[in-house]
């Protein structure tokens, strides 16, 4: 057994003329949790789909559990579990039936599947709903059933593609608990997310990708240091005074301020006292301020400090050219 | 480190069949959960029997038979039933198209493809379940037919062969349906595209009218249509009136021609659709 659960080198994926991945390198060690962080269309899902043998890379190669994803897809599939962006369960079947079906398709003995299903349903708080069709489940329950389905064969490597997207805050916290529990059991996890907070909560290491390329990599701590923790954000009333305001903010910030329209934001350290210094500095310049606040860093801030532009929601090409009417939700 | 679990030994018939059985078993369980769908898929052919038997019953004369108007209508009903059977099993393809398109539109397909299961199993399972659902449809149709005066006079063994031939045909068209379903961009398009080709396929045949009533340029097309040979073969096996046949090889050897076409269709469309499936991700 190799030390690296996932190794990807120079992964490129083109869909026609659209380049979804422009050469991704990625390593996940056994027992590690790596978060792939990026906005919509950054290529996160494409990476997961290549690693889980659903898509062939245009060039580059990847090994999962020591097996080449292109040459030995069958071996890879025996080692992995995949939970996609939408709950991949048959909604007409009950929770228990779904697990029985996937267990049988993993070629597991029926007795084992029965016992393991009961155990998973219990630990994911689905026992009461186990014999109801999945149709009747809430969004959070479906995601938990989805996750349980990918765990029935106790995979050593788990791919979680945006496991909490679309969930309400309470269900999201529930999913985090479940995922943290798996990690404690030693499962290797590669998860994708749009939320810095989620990557921070779950991942040992974060890989930030944008436009199909890795733009930063490190622990949540190192990334946060790079962004500089809290940010101050002010909006100026008079457009002609923006440069003066930037000068004023520069005297209190720990990094270069970023400007978007009338809004100026900059990384700061020192907590709320910074607010006082900022107001004083702006007052010295005689700049009138409409709004001022101090906030925790968001994905946008990561992107602002790493790329100089905000995380583009719609401008970036989608992961795959849309062929079907139904969007991925 | 998680412990790996001992998997089952390779079954006798191979994983494609074994996994296919798993998929079709749960597909049939799903059918039981949506009884409304099953109900309406039964209502449609029953309505066809009643419409054709009573609306067209007296209007379409079957050559080589017929005395009084009432006799002619009764003969037509016996002529009609195998035609309805043939049409109904052909329409099994439409359900298959929608079923595959539905499976593609959810994330379920990604999960299936990430499992260490056989690559043909999802399609084998779905097509098998679609054909299996036709057993109930044929049963209900047969009872309806019996009520309007249809009788099996060709012996039990021949009748069993007729039903098996109908199911084989159903199984082969579900592969065509599945291929269409895989190629369609969404469920809505699939539900239309899955139907359009079935109307010419079933109406350009001897299912409802004798071939001799068609214009001469149309006759060879209808004669080589496997629906015609299926219907003719089942008419012969059930011991129902067949009318007079124009002289074409398929019509002289309807059973062999039907089995041959089914085998060819399965071979072509199973290859096409499994190849397509292994490259598909959820849309």
């Amino acid at each position: 057994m190799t030390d690296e659960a996932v190794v990807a080198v120079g992964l490129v994926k083109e869909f026609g003329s659209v380049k979804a991945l422009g050469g991704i390198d990625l390593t996940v060690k056994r027992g590690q949790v790596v978060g792939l962080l990026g906005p919509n269309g950054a290529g996160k899902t494409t990476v997961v789909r290549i690693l889980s043998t659903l898509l062939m890379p245009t060039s580059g190669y990847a090994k999962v559990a020591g097996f080449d994803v292109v040459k030995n897809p069958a071996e890879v599939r025996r080692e992995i579990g995949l939970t996609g962006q939408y709950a991949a369960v048959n909604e007409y079947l009950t929770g228990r039936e779904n697990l029985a079906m996937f267990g049988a398709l993993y070629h597991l003995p029926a007795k084992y599947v029965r016992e393991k299903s009961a155990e998973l349903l219990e630990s994911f708080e689905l026992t009461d709903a186990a014999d109801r069709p999945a149709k009747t489940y809430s969004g959070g329950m479906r995601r938990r059933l989805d996750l349980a389905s990918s765990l029935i064969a106790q995979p050593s490597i788990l791919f979680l593609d945006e496991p909490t997207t679309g969930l309400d805050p309470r269900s999201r916290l529930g999913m985090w608990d479940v995922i943290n529990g798996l990690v404690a059991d030693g499962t290797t996890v590669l998860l994708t997310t749009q939320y810095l907070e989620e990557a921070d909560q779950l991942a040992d290491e974060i890989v930030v990708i944008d436009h199909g390329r890795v733009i930063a990599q490190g622990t949540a701590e190192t990334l946060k240091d790079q962004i500089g923790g809290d940010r101050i954000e002010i909006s100026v009333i008079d457009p002609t005074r923006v440069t003066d305001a930037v000068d004023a903010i520069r005297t209190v910030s720990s990094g270069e301020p970023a400007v978007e329209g009338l809004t100026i934001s900059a990384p700061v350290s020192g907590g709320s006292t910074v607010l006082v210094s900022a107001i004083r500095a702006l007052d010295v310049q005689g700049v009138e301020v409409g709004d001022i606040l101090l906030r925790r860093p968001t994905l946008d801030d990561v992107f602002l400090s790493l790329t100089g532009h905000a995380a583009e929601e719609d401008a970036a090409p989608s992961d795959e050219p849309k062929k079907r009417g139904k969007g991925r939700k | 480190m998680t412990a790996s679990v001992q998997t089952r030994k390779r079954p006798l018939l191979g994983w494609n069949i074994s996994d296919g059985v798993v998929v079709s078993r749960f597909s049939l369980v799903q059918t039981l959960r949506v009884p409304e769908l099953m109900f309406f898929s039964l209502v449609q052919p029953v309505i066809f029997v009643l419409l054709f038997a009573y609306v067209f019953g007296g209007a379409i004369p079957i050559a080589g038979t017929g005395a009084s108007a009432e006799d002619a209508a009764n003969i037509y009903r016996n002529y009609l039933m195998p035609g309805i059977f043939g049409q109904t099993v052909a329409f099994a393809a439409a359900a298959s198209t929608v079923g595959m398109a539905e499976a593609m539109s959810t994330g379920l397909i990604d999960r299936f493809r990430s499992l260490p299961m056989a690559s043909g199993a999802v399609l084998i399972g779905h097509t098998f379940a679609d054909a299996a659902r036709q057993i109930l449809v044929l049963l209900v149709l047969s009872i309806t037919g019996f009520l309007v005066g249809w009788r099996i006079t060709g012996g039990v063994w021949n009748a069993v062969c007729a039903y098996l031939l109908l199911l084989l045909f159903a199984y082969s068209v579900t592969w065509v349906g599945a291929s269409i379903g895989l190629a369609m961009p969404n469920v809505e398009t699939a539900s239309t595209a899955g139907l359009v080709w079935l109307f010419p396929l079933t109406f350009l045949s001897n299912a409802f009218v004798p071939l001799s009533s068609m214009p001469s340029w149309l006759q060879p097309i209808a004669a080589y249509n496997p629906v015609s040979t299926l219907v003719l073969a089942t008419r012969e096996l059930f011991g129902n009136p067949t009318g007079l046949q124009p002289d074409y090889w398929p019509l002289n050897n309807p059973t062999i021609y039907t089995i041959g076409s089914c085998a060819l269709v399965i071979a072509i469309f199973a290859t096409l659709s499994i190849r397509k499936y292994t490259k598909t991700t959820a849309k």
Side-chain angles (χ1 to χ4, degrees):
Chain A
M1 198 173 285
T2 51
D3 211 26
E4 272 106 30
V6 177
V7 184
V9 179
L11 280 189
V12 171
K13 180 68 188 177
E14 287 161 3
F15 296 103
S17 60
V18 181
K19 199 165 199 171
L21 299 182
I24 296 264
D25 298 324
L26 188 70
T27 305
V28 184
K29 295 200 184 71
R30 288 259 171 207
Q32 203 185 18
V33 183
V34 170
L36 211 53
L37 179 68
N40 275 335
K44 304 184 299 287
T45 297
T46 308
V47 171
V48 168
R49 285 182 166 177
I50 290 174
L51 295 177
S52 54
T53 77
L54 301 182
L55 279 179
M56 302 261 263
T58 309
S59 67
Y61 80 93
K63 281 188 168 181
V64 171
F67 299 107
D68 189 300
V69 294
V70 175
K71 292 182 197 132
N72 306 98
E75 282 74 14
V76 171
R77 287 174 196 153
R78 264 194 278 279
E79 297 289 329
I80 61 166
L82 169 68
T83 288
Q85 282 179 34
Y86 25 38
V89 295
N90 184 324
E91 56 176 19
Y92 297 103
L93 300 179
T94 67
R96 205 186 298 279
E97 284 165 346
N98 267 292
L99 295 178
M101 175 168 74
F102 295 124
L105 294 174
Y106 267 112
H107 304 156
L108 301 169
K111 183 169 176 284
Y112 164 84
V113 173
R114 266 198 305 279
E115 289 164 6
K116 185 73 187 171
S117 303
E119 186 190 314
L120 284 167
L121 289 165
E122 182 67 41
S123 60
F124 288 2
E125 291 168 35
L126 289 170
T127 305
D128 291 341
D131 297 309
R132 278 191 351 232
K135 234 172 129 88
T136 64
Y137 288 17
S138 69
M141 290 163 79
R142 278 189 206 207
R143 291 293 180 100
R144 294 206 298 276
L145 177 60
D146 189 37
L147 187 55
S149 307
S150 57
L151 293 174
I152 192 92
Q154 303 189 19
S156 59
I157 302 166
L158 194 59
F159 295 110
L160 303 174
D161 192 11
E162 302 200 6
T164 67
T165 298
L167 291 186
D168 60 63
R170 201 176 134 262
S171 309
R172 171 169 295 164
L173 288 175
M175 272 305 267
W176 285 0
D177 279 348
V178 168
I179 295 167
N180 273 322
L182 292 171
V183 173
D185 288 345
T187 309
T188 306
V189 178
L190 178 68
L191 72 98
T192 75
T193 180
Q194 304 185 39
Y195 310 108
L196 181 62
E197 194 194 356
E198 182 160 292
D200 192 7
Q201 280 283 332
L202 300 173
D204 306 322
E205 182 154 318
I206 299 175
V207 176
V208 185
I209 67 169
D210 186 33
H211 292 122
R213 289 180 183 279
V214 175
I215 56 170
Q217 194 162 357
T219 61
E221 286 310 307
T222 41
L223 282 177
K224 272 193 185 154
D225 284 351
Q226 230 169 314
I227 313 159
D230 293 349
R231 293 188 73 90
I232 192 167
E233 198 172 284
I234 66 157
S235 57
V236 181
I237 291 169
D238 182 356
T240 62
R241 303 302 307 276
V242 171
T243 28
D244 294 332
V246 169
D247 289 341
I249 293 299
R250 196 176 282 132
T251 62
V252 297
S253 69
S254 59
E256 186 56 24
V259 184
E260 258 193 82
L262 294 177
T263 306
I264 299 156
S265 71
V268 291
S269 47
S272 51
T273 56
V274 177
L275 278 178
V276 180
S277 333
I279 290 168
R280 215 169 273 153
L282 288 162
D283 196 37
V284 169
Q285 294 275 355
V287 179
E288 232 183 314
V289 173
D291 204 0
I292 182 161
L293 60 96
L294 194 68
R295 58 176 175 77
R296 311 290 311 160
T298 64
L299 178 63
D300 263 339
D301 301 320
V302 178
F303 275 79
L304 272 173
S305 67
L306 292 173
T307 66
H309 68 80
E312 290 166 55
E313 278 287 316
D314 300 312
S318 135
D319 262 357
E320 278 170 48
K322 280 224 171 64
K323 282 179 245 145
R324 289 183 179 243
K326 274 189 184 168
R328 232 184 289 125
K329 277 273 133 59
Chain B
M1 192 64 47
T2 46
S4 67
V5 189
Q6 190 61 46
T7 53
R8 286 179 284 139
K9 284 204 191 73
R10 188 179 179 279
L12 204 60
L13 294 169
W15 287 120
N16 262 310
I17 303 294
S18 160
D19 291 347
V21 168
V22 173
V23 173
S24 71
R25 190 174 87 217
F26 285 101
S27 172
L28 291 171
V29 171
Q30 179 180 336
T31 307
L32 301 178
R33 298 283 149 74
V34 201
E36 299 86 352
L37 185 65
M38 196 66 215
F39 176 77
F40 285 106
S41 72
L42 288 170
V43 164
Q44 194 193 333
V46 167
I47 288 176
F48 260 81
V49 172
L50 300 177
L51 281 179
F52 273 91
Y54 294 105
V55 178
F56 297 115
I60 303 171
I62 304 305
T65 59
S68 69
E70 198 172 321
D71 277 353
N74 190 42
I75 286 163
Y76 180 70
R77 280 173 216 150
N78 276 275
Y79 175 85
L80 168 76
M81 279 313 295
I84 299 268
F85 286 139
Q87 188 205 33
T88 305
V89 293
F91 273 76
S96 184
T97 303
V98 174
M100 272 333 288
E102 249 167 23
M104 295 295 139
S105 69
T106 68
L108 208 49
I109 212 75
D110 281 357
R111 152 130 314 133
F112 280 135
R113 286 201 49 228
S114 74
L115 295 178
M117 61 190 283
S119 58
V122 168
L123 285 156
I124 291 172
H126 271 279
T127 51
F128 192 74
D130 282 331
R133 278 186 273 270
Q134 294 300 308
I135 296 174
L136 182 63
V137 176
L138 287 176
L139 179 71
V140 171
L141 264 186
S142 300
I143 293 167
T144 316
F146 186 80
L147 296 176
V148 301
W150 173 66
R151 294 293 179 270
I152 297 172
T153 58
V156 176
W157 169 241
N158 279 346
V160 170
C161 288
Y163 283 118
L164 289 177
L165 197 62
L166 287 164
L167 289 173
L168 172 69
F169 190 86
Y171 187 62
S172 69
V173 290
T174 56
W175 277 107
V176 183
S179 304
I180 297 173
L182 282 169
M184 288 302 120
N186 54 43
V187 180
E188 293 75 18
T189 316
S191 64
T192 312
L195 275 177
V196 282
W197 63 284
L198 289 169
F199 287 101
L201 181 77
T202 53
F203 282 91
L204 275 179
S205 78
N206 59 7
F208 307 108
V209 294
L211 290 189
S212 50
S213 69
M214 293 181 185
S216 56
W217 59 269
L218 207 52
Q219 281 189 20
I221 298 172
Y224 282 89
N225 181 350
V227 174
S228 293
T229 58
L230 169 74
V231 171
L232 179 57
T234 47
R235 276 181 186 137
E236 286 173 357
L237 288 165
F238 282 134
N240 295 140
T242 59
L244 295 176
Q245 304 307 323
D247 188 27
Y248 291 99
W249 192 88
L251 298 177
N252 296 330
N253 307 276
T255 309
I256 296 166
Y257 183 82
T258 307
I259 293 173
S261 334
C262 289
L264 190 67
V265 165
I266 293 172
I268 293 171
F269 285 92
T271 313
L272 282 179
S273 50
I274 291 174
R275 191 177 298 165
K276 173 96 179 145
Y277 167 81
T278 53
K279 290 185 186 144
T280 307
T281 48
K283 308 289 165 55

